[in-house]
């Protein structure tokens, strides 16, 4: 994100949220990646079509030597695969397959969004060890009419305009605001206002009234197409094709990575309860006396291949610790997997994890909520990275009894309502090579686009501070953030956590990029934190 957008929320003139966002110019790395990596890879399918058609039309295939025939076979495979990929892309580009959620829950979630940042809390004013208030900054405030110059109103306007392409807030009109509300609440396109059911119209009007109180300004009547809202699951899906050989390479590489883990660390692959996962249980392990098991939830990208360094390292330095790694083919470019375009939702994932952990004897969801986490007989340590924090949040919400310790690395589940993750990952114009690599190789990949743009539920994926047991206990909960993260707005996530009293449990690298906490000093701190509480028993 551009430095100009890294607001701190401190007191500032009202004109701050009126600055138009000017994207930075493309730098040299953008063009290097585009010319050396993206265009050559993108060109393979059309070149394959051209070669196959030319060979067949001229009958030159029969004059090829064995090498020519081999190249023709590869090109023909690319042709057939491109047709298959085109059909899948057509399916993904269809209507959103996530219906509207529970209206009451969504209204509660939206009200919680409006309450975020409303309390006058100092980022540095709390001490984890002596604070009496169990949940500082939790939603206890009533939404009141703020002055337009109130720093809280300015901050909220600056945040909210991200959902409208970062246009100056004064350019947003009621029509576009209603469109955004209707998507966020009903996950549907806004019909003509005069055709809306009375109950829906009431919801929109009430929500608008609260937003106007929170922002300190009235939203003008009318429409401004230049301030079109981002509606993640309704907007056209952007998919970039990639060659058959690319997917074959990823599939083979992930398979070889599984074989290596099996050979070196006795890691076995299972598929149960609709979930694929890797499991390592050290010989002689006793859940009553051994270290707490670790569940590692990976993020978007290349799957196991991408996370092999950190998983292998953790297994090496923690040889007596059991590991469970849920595999998510829909975000790992595993196009040949039968569930590639059928991502599991919140309830299915949480239920599958509960069943697996109970079958292993690692946790018991039936333990009473009245029993403190540290006094429970069983439980696991969950480490999640980036998109994996959504699954982490799902389990925490449904079965907090399963998890004794939580570690969030580059968590996109916090402040998700602010729009930075959505905008940066899918809508922002790339201006450097790293952003272009992430957009083409991850954001515009078929499975990832299907998950994020047709199977996304913002309220389910959002995790609030008060939903994390022992969030301010650094021995129970750890957060890793990088200040130069190009996906999430790390400064705002940091402020959200520290305003709720999180101190020693936050590891923050001002210059850290997305994923950098899983390397170098971040890994050392992660291992220290794991070892600190891995053998703790009641």
């Amino acid at each position: 994100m551009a430095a100009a957008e890294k607001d701190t929320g401190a007191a500032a003139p009202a004109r701050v949220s009126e600055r138009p966002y000017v994207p930075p110019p493309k730098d040299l790395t953008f063009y290097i990646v585009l010319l050396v990596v993206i265009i050559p890879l993108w060109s393979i399918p059309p070149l394959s079509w051209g070669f196959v058609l030319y060979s067949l039309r001229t009958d030159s295939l029969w004059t090829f030597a064995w090498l020519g025939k081999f190249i023709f076979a590869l090109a023909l495979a690319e042709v057939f695969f491109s047709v298959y990929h085109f059909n899948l892309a057509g399916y993904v580009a269809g209507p959103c397959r996530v219906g509207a959620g529970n209206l009451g829950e969504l209204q509660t979630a939206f009200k919680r969004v409006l309450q975020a940042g409303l309390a006058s809390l100092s980022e540095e004013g709390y001490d984890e060890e002596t604070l009496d208030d169990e949940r500082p900054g939790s939603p206890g405030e009533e939404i009141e009419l703020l002055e337009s110059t109130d720093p809280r109103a300015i901050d909220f306007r600056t945040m909210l305009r991200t959902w409208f392409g970062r246009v100056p807030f004064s350019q947003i009109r009621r029509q576009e605001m209603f469109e955004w509300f209707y998507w966020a609440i009903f996950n549907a396109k806004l019909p003509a206002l005069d055709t809306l059911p009375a109950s829906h119209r009431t919801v929109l009007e009430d929500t608008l009234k609260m937003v106007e109180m929170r922002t300190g300004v009235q939203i003008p009547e009318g429409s401004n197409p230049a301030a079109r809202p981002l509606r993640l699951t309704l907007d056209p899906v952007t998919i970039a094709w990639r060659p058959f050989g690319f997917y074959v390479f990823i599939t083979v590489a992930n398979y070889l990575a599984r074989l290596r883990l099996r050979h070196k660390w006795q890691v076995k692959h299972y598929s149960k309860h609709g979930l694929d996962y890797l499991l390592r249980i050290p010989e002689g392990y006793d859940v009553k006396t051994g270290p707490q098991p670790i569940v590692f939830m990976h993020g978007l990208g290349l799957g196991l291949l991408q996370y092999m360094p950190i998983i292998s390292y953790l297994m090496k330095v923690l040889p007596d610790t059991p590991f469970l790694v849920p595999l998510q083919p829909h975000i790992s470019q595993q196009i040949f997997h039968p569930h590639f375009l059928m991502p599991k939702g919140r309830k299915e994932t949480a239920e599958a994890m509960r069943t697996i952990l109970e079958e292993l004897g690692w946790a018991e969801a039936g333990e009473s909520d009245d029993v403190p986490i540290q006094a429970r007989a069983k439980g696991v340590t969950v480490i999640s990275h980036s998109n994996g924090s959504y699954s982490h949040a799902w389990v925490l919400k449904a079965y907090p009894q399963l998890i004794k310790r939580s570690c969030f690395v580059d968590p996109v589940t916090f402040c998700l309502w602010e729009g930075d993750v959505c905008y940066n990952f899918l809508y922002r114009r790339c201006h450097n090579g790293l952003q272009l690599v992430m957009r083409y190789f991850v954001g515009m990949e078929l499975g990832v686009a299907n998950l994020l743009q047709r199977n996304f539920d913002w309220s389910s994926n959002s995790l609030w501070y008060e939903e994390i047991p022992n969030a301010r206990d650094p021995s129970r909960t750890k957060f890793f953030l990088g200040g130069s993260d190009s996906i999430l707005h790390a400064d705002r996530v940091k402020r959200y956590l520290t305003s709720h009293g999180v101190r020693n449990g936050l590891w923050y690298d001002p210059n850290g990029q997305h994923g950098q906490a899983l390397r170098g000093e971040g890994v050392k701190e992660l291992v220290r934190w794991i070892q600190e509480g891995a053998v703790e028993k009641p």
Side-chain angles (χ1 to χ4, degrees), residues 1 21 23-27 29-31 33-34 38 423-441 443-444 486:
M1 179 177 294
Y21 172 66
K26 298 179 177 63
D27 64 15
T29 62
F30 175 91
Y31 294 101
V33 171
L34 179 65
I38 305 299
Y423 179 84
N424 291 339
F425 198 67
L426 295 171
Y427 291 89
R428 176 184 57 189
R429 292 169 55 189
C430 301
H431 64 266
N432 61 44
L434 178 60
Q435 292 176 0
L436 186 58
V437 166
M438 295 180 65
R439 177 67 58 81
Y440 178 81
F441 285 98
M444 297 170 70
S486 61

Side-chain angles (χ1 to χ4, degrees), residues 172-193:
I172 302 173
R173 299 292 182 264
R174 288 199 176 193
Q175 174 66 28
E176 284 69 40
M177 188 65 74
F178 281 153
E179 289 179 3
W180 184 65
F181 291 161
Y182 207 79
W183 164 73
I185 297 174
F186 300 105
N187 197 25
K189 294 182 179 179
L190 176 68
L193 293 178

Side-chain angles (χ1 to χ4, degrees), residues 39 198 211 227 457:
I39 290 181
V211 167
D457 184 347

